Amino acid sequence: SQEELENYRKKIDEVYQIQEKEFGLEKLISIKEKNMCRMPLKYDDYFMKIATNKNVLEVVERFLGQFYILNLQNAIINTPNEEHHQSSWHRDLPYQNYVISNPLSINALFCIDDFSVETGGTIVVPYTHKTEILPSDRYINKHAVTAVAKAGSVIVFDSMLFHKAGYNSSNIIRRAVNHQYQIPLLKQFYDFPKALNGKFSDDDPFLNQLLGYTSQTLLDDVAWRENRLERNM
């Protein structure tokens, strides 16, 4: 809704300002992290609402099955007339150059502001989740498309799809909240259980699973067996 969009715009900006103050703008610039709001649900429970959107999770479950976890949640702030560091072609499973028959990970990119060519909407190269390497410039120039969507929409795609942020030539900030849901065989981008310090683990079984509490690596043989015993009781 419009009210939710206004809330997310405000909260994204607020959380990013906290992170910029804590880490330092110059250091963020040096590691190409300016205008990247990472792990906002750690700072504000309101972001859990968007991470558990029912319509999106129904699509995720269709591709990944019922047992999946949240790999990451990031908010991208694409400011006018400034190239974002995500403007290079990439996959959200970085450095994984192979083809697989079933999806490992699904992205849900929530459009908090309008996505268009002018606002620097995400550009994708269709079908590249089925190719091992990035195609030639000639192929990309012919087939790449900008994902055009109104604020309040969500763009869902295979995480192996090559994509990048467009250049924002408008006069408005283009924000988005990206989520990556994946099978638990893959390591989480963020250690949500430690970062959240147990938060949400007792709320309901689904959040316990989604945030990775049930997929943590156990220390040793004794811990593994104690965990197995506890599950069987």
Side-chain angles (χ1 to χ4, degrees):
S1 68
Q2 191 61 42
E3 181 182 359
E4 289 175 308
L5 289 171
E6 290 296 338
N7 285 336
Y8 280 118
R9 289 168 188 146
K10 179 182 177 182
K11 290 177 180 293
I12 288 169
D13 292 346
E14 288 175 348
V15 171
Y16 175 71
Q17 287 303 316
I18 292 171
Q19 295 181 355
E20 186 180 281
K21 184 177 180 180
E22 288 178 343
F23 198 77
L25 177 59
E26 292 304 317
K27 287 196 290 184
L28 287 174
I29 293 173
S30 72
I31 59 172
K32 298 182 179 181
E33 278 285 292
K34 183 183 178 183
N35 291 327
M36 174 63 80
C37 176
R38 291 194 176 273
M39 207 179 187
L41 67 79
K42 173 187 171 186
Y43 296 80
D44 195 317
D45 292 356
Y46 194 73
F47 287 93
M48 183 57 75
K49 181 179 181 182
I50 200 171
T52 55
N53 180 279
K54 182 180 178 182
N55 292 331
V56 168
L57 295 186
E58 285 178 356
V59 177
V60 172
E61 187 172 318
R62 190 182 308 169
F63 287 100
L64 301 183
Q66 293 184 334
F67 194 16
Y68 55 86
I69 59 176
L70 181 65
N71 177 46
L72 61 78
Q73 181 194 64
N74 293 331
I76 300 96
I77 305 169
N78 195 342
T79 55
N81 303 309
E82 183 178 3
E83 190 169 277
H84 198 276
H85 79 274
Q86 288 204 331
S87 60
S88 299
W89 294 112
H90 64 280
R91 287 168 158 157
D92 280 354
L93 284 176
Y95 316 117
Q96 307 306 307
N97 295 321
Y98 50 80
V99 175
I100 193 164
S101 57
N102 294 318
L104 298 172
S105 178
I106 298 293
N107 276 50
L109 183 62
F110 285 82
C111 307
I112 307 303
D113 298 284
D114 289 346
F115 270 47
S116 68
V117 173
E118 291 73 26
T119 63
T122 299
I123 305 171
V124 303
V125 186
Y127 307 112
T128 49
H129 63 294
K130 297 183 177 183
T131 64
E132 293 183 356
I133 59 174
L134 182 67
S136 66
D137 290 342
R138 181 180 178 184
Y139 182 93
I140 290 174
N141 292 335
K142 183 177 180 180
H143 296 287
V145 294
T146 299
V148 175
K150 286 292 186 182
S153 306
V154 59
I155 302 164
V156 181
F157 57 95
D158 190 306
S159 301
M160 293 292 281
L161 188 75
F162 278 106
H163 62 283
K164 69 175 183 176
Y167 184 80
N168 187 352
S169 60
S170 73
N171 59 1
I172 68 168
I173 297 173
R174 195 271 289 165
R175 303 171 190 81
V177 185
N178 188 33
H179 299 78
Q180 190 175 335
Y181 305 92
Q182 66 184 29
I183 61 173
L185 287 175
L186 300 175
K187 188 177 181 180
Q188 283 176 299
F189 195 91
Y190 305 122
D191 192 336
F192 282 99
K194 288 183 179 178
L196 296 174
N197 197 27
K199 193 174 185 180
F200 301 113
S201 61
D202 297 326
D203 288 7
D204 68 57
F206 175 71
L207 287 183
N208 199 30
Q209 171 190 306
L210 180 69
L211 295 171
Y213 286 103
T214 61
S215 305
Q216 297 178 82
T217 301
L218 298 171
L219 177 64
D220 55 18
D221 56 323
V222 176
W224 189 92
R225 285 171 175 150
E226 287 177 344
N227 179 66
R228 182 70 172 265
L229 182 64
E230 183 178 341
R231 283 162 47 195
N232 290 342
M233 292 177 65

